[in-house]
Amino acid sequence: MLRFVCLPVLLSLFLSVSGQGDPVKPIIQTKWASDVQPGNVLPEYPRPQLVRGNWMSLNGQWDYSIQPASAETAPVGFEGKILVPFPVESALSGVQKTVGKDRSLWYHRTIQLPASLSKGTVLLHFGAVDWQCSVFINGRKAGEHKGGYSAFTFDITPFLKKGKTQEIAVRVWDPSDDGPQPRGKQVKKPNGIWYTPVTGIWQTVWIEAVPDTYIASTKNTPDIDQKVIKVTTTVNSARPGDLVRVTALDGSVKMSEQQVAPGTEAVLPVENMKLWTPGSPFLYNLKVELLRKGKPIDAATSYFAMRKISMQKENGIQKMLLNNRFVFQYGPLDQGWWPDGLYTAPTDEALRFDIQTTKDMGFNMIRKHVKAEPARWYYHCDQLGMLVWQDMPSGDLGGNVWDSRPGQISGGNTDKDRSAESEAVYRTEWKEIMDNLYNFPCIVVWVPFNEAWGQFKTKEITEWTMQYDPSRLVNSASGGNFFPVGHIMDLHHYPDPAMPDPRIFGSERILVLGEFGGLGLPLEGHTWQAKNNWGYQTFKNQDELKNRYSELVSHLARLIPLGLSAAVYTQTTDVEVETNGLMTYDRKVYKIDPKVLHEIHQQLYKQ
């Protein structure tokens, strides 16, 4: 008998927000789709690592029009309404149309800017827009950004006109798999492990008012060995004599405080440390104030955790350590796709659900696969105690030599020869992603490449990543062409577990199984298409699946004493025609009871 995640939701027609009366019905949908209201879309504060109170969400209904790619000025008329921030190809957008490289997507909205947001500096924030984005305020170009996975901000103060009424237009161009840019698993012709394109605004859009001199960002680095938290604050338009006051708090109790010049590192003692672990994910509070002549002119709140990720030899084999102790890391490959919103979860509750369910299943880690999520996803991982391996979204695929000898050192000729443009967009976006996500303690591993998908200049990219963030481990190319660089040797092996040879690699690098499993079970009424669904190994019923999965985990447990530090099972949910998930794509059916999974997994943590 199937075990349902929730009570069945009536599958009535999903009403379009286009205003044209044409219903848009997703093939399948999650239970949260019915909670999406055009006037209250993803209303949560989108930047939990730097919180201010004076802000306004611009999620909701915008005008849209699909124009030729050559169109550089906003259209006179629009085709209808689109629900931001759902991608235009998704059902929840109310549009569900493909754009492609030969066309551009235009957004338009007239807003009423309240007096509280009209003073000082007015910032327009975008969580993410895929891919190339130009923003116009009252007909004047305010800025441009390239990169589908990183947050960006424009100072729109010079472009505002008198009065409350302001017009915003956004032009987006996205060539999907016809361009060299990072795009993960998006393709114009979805099939197998490749999915529907995502174009346009897909994370929260919001406005914030700040003083003329303001706190732009912080960089929080814990050091559990020295029992300190290090905080460096970036201040825009700082004046001579300005100071930054940083206060570390346990709840509301002040622990330590320091005043430093903007851009100077504050080092705050953290006595009687409460270490952050999957079993006890304690978060400290942080208050950052900008002082001028001793008085605060700007302030924001944040948080941090005392957590360390490192490596050390045990019995001649490098092991992955959390807070100076070996903890076997085990988690699913998490694609972060939704049948109704594609890249965008219908609600914040839905976003948290996947992480909480993964935790309930007895995993302590998630590998976020060739996608970067909204900041709130990592915030939930921080709160719930979920370790994260963060992939760089892949792009410019094809043309590589993928070494077919698993666990062997590849020759230099396996690196892809990418164009200067391709290299530049990769390097720029990888840096932006790392900057955006640096403060989230849940992230313990950076993964620059997946398999040989666009893998280029492996040694150079890996060494740069290690130098740019020495506080985390770097998994150079998960399952890809291996070069003797980085902290980790990562093997992909389907369906049964395997590990890199400890005699060859164990003395220098951590040994991990970056992907395995892929056990498939399509369940009628919960699939993206009725027939021809795909899995690495397909089963007829849930009992068969459970028994085979249990065998795999028992085999995996036997590898840990041999030196295996971590493993990643494919995958959290089904995605489109791929039916390898532990849950169906609509999140309505657990293929294996989470309590059963939790019990099966305990053998991995008793080593």
Side-chain angles (χ1 to χ4, degrees):
M1 181 177 181
L2 301 183
R3 178 179 174 85
F4 284 83
V5 175
C6 62
L7 293 175
V9 178
L10 293 176
L11 295 178
S12 58
L13 286 179
F14 187 81
L15 296 179
S16 169
V17 297
S18 68
Q20 301 173 49
D22 298 325
V24 175
K25 183 181 180 180
I27 300 167
I28 52 176
Q29 66 181 31
T30 65
K31 69 173 184 176
W32 300 280
S34 60
D35 296 331
V36 176
Q37 302 297 325
N40 194 36
V41 182
L42 293 167
E44 294 79 13
Y45 189 83
R47 192 184 57 195
Q49 276 283 0
L50 193 69
V51 178
R52 291 188 184 91
N54 195 17
W55 73 288
M56 179 175 72
S57 173
L58 297 185
N59 292 344
Q61 291 188 347
W62 291 53
D63 305 313
Y64 88 93
S65 182
I66 297 174
Q67 298 287 314
S70 58
E72 295 292 338
T73 56
V76 176
F78 290 87
E79 298 172 38
K81 298 290 185 181
I82 184 170
L83 193 60
V84 169
F86 298 106
V88 66
E89 296 89 350
S90 71
L92 281 175
S93 74
V95 180
Q96 209 168 20
K97 293 180 181 178
T98 301
V99 180
K101 68 180 177 65
D102 297 322
R103 299 192 290 178
S104 58
L105 172 63
W106 283 86
Y107 296 82
H108 172 268
R109 180 170 177 179
T110 300
I111 66 168
Q112 299 299 312
L113 196 64
S116 62
L117 290 168
S118 301
K119 299 175 182 177
T121 298
V122 181
L123 303 177
L124 177 59
H125 300 285
F126 291 83
V129 180
D130 198 354
W131 174 68
Q132 180 175 320
C133 166
S134 299
V135 176
F136 302 83
I137 306 296
N138 297 315
R140 299 164 61 196
K141 190 172 182 179
E144 182 174 292
H145 180 263
K146 293 180 180 179
Y149 301 91
S150 50
F152 58 97
T153 299
F154 296 126
D155 178 354
I156 62 171
T157 315
F159 307 97
L160 299 176
K161 60 185 182 182
K162 291 182 179 180
K164 292 183 177 181
T165 304
Q166 313 289 338
E167 283 192 80
I168 304 173
V170 179
R171 177 190 180 273
V172 180
W173 178 70
D174 179 19
S176 297
D177 53 327
D178 286 319
Q181 82 289 344
R183 43 91 178 174
K185 288 196 170 186
Q186 305 174 53
V187 294
K188 58 183 180 292
K189 295 182 179 178
N191 66 93
I193 65 169
W194 308 102
Y195 316 138
T196 302
V198 169
T199 302
I201 299 169
W202 68 274
Q203 290 186 29
T204 291
V205 186
W206 54 295
I207 281 181
E208 178 183 35
V210 296
D212 292 333
T213 301
Y214 64 95
I215 299 162
S217 64
T218 68
K219 185 175 182 179
N220 311 332
T221 307
D223 185 336
I224 72 167
D225 298 321
Q226 298 299 318
K227 298 181 181 180
V228 297
I229 177 70
K230 302 173 183 178
V231 181
T232 303
T233 304
T234 299
V235 175
N236 276 18
S237 303
R239 296 182 185 178
D242 287 351
L243 292 173
V244 174
R245 180 165 62 200
V246 184
T247 308
L249 304 104
D250 182 343
S252 59
V253 178
K254 182 192 296 187
M255 297 187 301
S256 54
E257 186 174 275
Q258 189 177 6
Q259 293 186 21
V260 294
T264 302
E265 184 178 78
V267 181
L268 284 73
V270 182
E271 299 296 337
N272 303 313
M273 285 187 304
K274 300 173 184 177
L275 297 177
W276 185 97
T277 68
S280 180
F282 187 83
L283 300 176
Y284 290 95
N285 292 322
L286 198 65
K287 185 176 181 180
V288 184
E289 298 167 285
L290 179 60
L291 306 179
R292 180 168 293 161
K293 296 180 180 179
K295 295 181 179 180
I297 62 169
D298 188 26
T301 60
S302 185
Y303 67 89
F304 68 94
M306 299 304 292
R307 185 273 297 133
K308 177 184 178 182
I309 188 72
S310 61
M311 59 190 286
Q312 184 175 301
K313 280 187 182 180
E314 282 185 15
N315 300 320
I317 302 291
Q318 292 287 354
K319 303 296 282 289
M320 190 182 298
L321 306 184
L322 179 67
N323 300 331
N324 297 323
R325 296 179 57 239
F326 173 64
V327 175
F328 187 76
Q329 297 189 24
Y330 183 48
L333 193 75
D334 194 294
Q335 315 257 18
W337 284 75
W338 302 83
D340 30 36
L342 298 180
Y343 257 17
T344 310
T347 66
D348 193 64
E349 180 187 357
L351 197 68
R352 183 183 173 99
F353 171 85
D354 277 6
I355 305 163
Q356 182 63 65
T357 301
T358 302
K359 185 93 172 176
D360 294 342
M361 290 175 170
F363 295 103
N364 63 5
M365 175 264 280
I366 290 171
R367 179 180 166 206
K368 178 49 64 176
H369 191 42
V370 294
K371 181 194 180 193
E373 291 285 2
R376 290 192 63 84
W377 187 86
Y378 302 94
Y379 171 61
H380 293 317
C381 288
D382 289 345
Q383 285 190 314
L384 295 172
M386 185 61 71
L387 300 164
V388 174
W389 295 12
Q390 178 61 53
D391 285 11
M392 170 61 178
S394 47
D396 201 358
L397 279 63
N400 280 64
V401 175
W402 192 0
D403 196 326
S404 60
R405 304 168 301 156
Q408 302 298 314
I409 297 176
S410 299
N413 64 341
T414 61
D415 264 342
K416 182 181 176 71
D417 184 15
R418 293 171 71 157
S419 68
E421 177 197 12
S422 176
E423 284 197 24
V425 295
Y426 175 98
R427 293 173 189 271
T428 298
E429 191 153 7
W430 186 220
K431 179 181 180 298
E432 287 184 354
I433 289 171
M434 291 179 67
D435 287 342
N436 286 172
L437 303 181
Y438 182 88
N439 282 352
F440 294 103
C442 61
I443 299 175
V444 292
V445 175
W446 297 118
V447 188
F449 299 109
N450 175 70
E451 296 178 348
W453 296 358
Q455 186 178 346
F456 76 101
K457 294 186 177 177
T458 306
K459 186 173 187 294
E460 181 182 333
I461 295 296
T462 302
E463 289 177 345
W464 179 88
T465 305
M466 294 168 66
Q467 179 273 327
Y468 196 63
D469 182 6
S471 72
R472 291 179 171 94
L473 300 175
V474 178
N475 184 2
S476 180
S478 181
N481 295 322
F482 177 71
F483 293 78
V485 65
H487 302 109
I488 294 170
M489 171 59 185
D490 181 321
L491 177 69
H492 290 184
H493 194 273
Y494 286 97
D496 293 273
M499 66 180 289
D501 191 332
R503 295 167 298 179
I504 300 174
F505 302 105
S507 65
E508 297 297 325
R509 286 177 178 83
I510 299 162
L511 308 178
V512 310
L513 174 59
E515 292 180 27
F516 81 105
L519 306 182
L521 178 63
L523 294 175
E524 187 176 353
H526 301 277
T527 57
W528 188 251
Q529 63 186 28
K531 296 180 180 179
N532 301 319
N533 291 289
W534 185 87
Y536 286 94
Q537 185 176 5
T538 302
F539 295 85
K540 295 179 181 178
N541 58 59
Q542 289 172 288
D543 284 339
E544 283 187 2
L545 177 70
K546 181 190 72 175
N547 292 338
R548 178 69 171 121
Y549 181 83
S550 184
E551 288 178 1
L552 294 186
V553 175
S554 294
H555 184 182
L556 182 64
R558 293 194 289 272
L559 300 179
I560 299 173
L562 303 179
L564 189 69
S565 278
V568 177
Y569 176 80
T570 302
Q571 59 188 344
T572 309
T573 73
D574 296 344
V575 184
E576 299 198 358
V577 303
E578 195 175 351
T579 56
N580 302 312
L582 293 167
M583 291 185 286
T584 54
Y585 194 19
D586 56 14
R587 277 75 165 172
K588 293 179 180 176
V589 184
Y590 297 127
K591 297 184 187 179
I592 306 175
D593 188 318
K595 292 181 181 178
V596 172
L597 284 170
H598 191 279
E599 184 176 348
I600 291 172
H601 294 157
Q602 294 315 298
Q603 61 191 297
L604 303 174
Y605 308 124
K606 296 176 181 178
Q607 303 288 333

